[in-house]
Amino acid sequence: MGTIQLKNIKIYAFHGCLVEEGQIGSDYLVNLAVKADLKKASTTDELEDTVDYVLLQKIVQEEMAIRAKLLEHVARRIINSILEKVEAVTTVKVSVAKINPPIGGDVAEVRVTMQQKRNS
């Protein structure tokens, strides 16, 4: 078993409950960690024997492009899509952070983190 991480994927998106957030958008940071059996890839040195992190990045981009009111909803969609499309992944942990959220205070980010294991 091993972990593949994608750290600080920066994406401009349009999530939020406020109408303005859907029109103006803002910066988001996504962090992703997936667990999978990486033993074969460590010996064969072949892409087909591991989890392709280019595909993981693409899934994150696709799901972040679909507007949602809640970060929790976006995180759930990312998890579901990875578990659906990447058979080798056994566990997904994702955090989605809105940078400088419009919450009436000096807050660097608001972050939601969710994790799920594949059902056997």
Side-chain angles (χ1 to χ4, degrees), residues 35 53 58 74 111:
K35 291 187 179 183
Y53 50 80
K58 181 181 176 190
V74 179
R111 181 177 300 268

Side-chain angles (χ1 to χ4, degrees), residues 20-32:
E20 297 81 12
E21 292 175 297
Q23 296 169 344
I24 298 169
S26 61
D27 287 316
Y28 292 81
L29 286 177
V30 178
N31 285 283
L32 178 66

